[in-house]
Amino acid sequence: MAAAGGVSTDDVPILQAENLTSNVKSVYYSRTFLSIIGGVVAGIWGFTGLMGFVFYFLIMMVASIGLLAKSKFSVQAYFDSWTRISIEGVFGGLMSFVLFWTYPFSLTI
C-alpha cells in the first residue's frame, strides 16, 4: 500500500521525536561518563601532553564502535544520521576529560 505521495511507508524511516531525543541523551551521557573515567585513568597512568589527548580520542573512537555495536549497526533505526553516533558529544566531553585528567595527575606526582 502506498502513502499519499506515491511513496510506500516501507521506504520512509519513521522516527519518533521522543525516542530520538532519548537516544541522543543516552549517547551524550555515555560520552560524558567515559570522558570522566578516561580522564581519571589518564591522570593515574601519568599521561602528559599530546599522549593524553590521543588517549581521549581513542576512548571516543571505542565508544563510537560500542554504540554502533549496541545499535546492531543499523543506525538509521535509532538515529537520524551517522553523526549522532560518530561525533555527537565528542568535543563536549573534552573539558570534563581535561579536568579529571589534571586532578589525579597532580595527586600522583
Side-chain angles (χ1 to χ4, degrees):
M1 183 171 168
V7 178
S8 70
T9 56
D10 294 335
D11 297 334
V12 179
I14 298 173
L15 294 174
Q16 294 181 350
E18 296 87 14
N19 294 343
L20 180 63
T21 304
S22 175
N23 293 341
V24 170
K25 282 183 184 179
S26 295
V27 169
Y28 179 74
Y29 292 147
S30 66
R31 287 196 187 276
T32 302
F33 177 73
L34 286 174
S35 296
I36 292 169
I37 297 301
V40 170
V41 169
I44 290 172
W45 285 352
F47 291 152
T48 58
L50 189 60
M51 188 63 175
F53 290 106
V54 168
F55 181 69
Y56 173 73
F57 287 111
L58 180 69
I59 289 173
M60 290 298 114
M61 185 177 68
V62 169
S64 295
I65 293 169
L67 290 168
L68 279 170
K70 180 70 176 170
S71 68
K72 298 178 182 142
F73 299 97
S74 61
V75 176
Q76 299 301 328
Y78 301 100
F79 299 98
D80 55 349
S81 68
W82 282 91
T83 59
R84 297 283 188 181
I85 282 188
S86 59
I87 60 173
E88 183 83 25
V90 170
F91 294 109
L94 188 59
M95 292 306 291
S96 298
F97 175 81
V98 170
L99 174 69
F100 284 93
W101 174 24
T102 54
Y103 183 66
F105 183 74
S106 66
L107 293 177
T108 58
I109 293 179

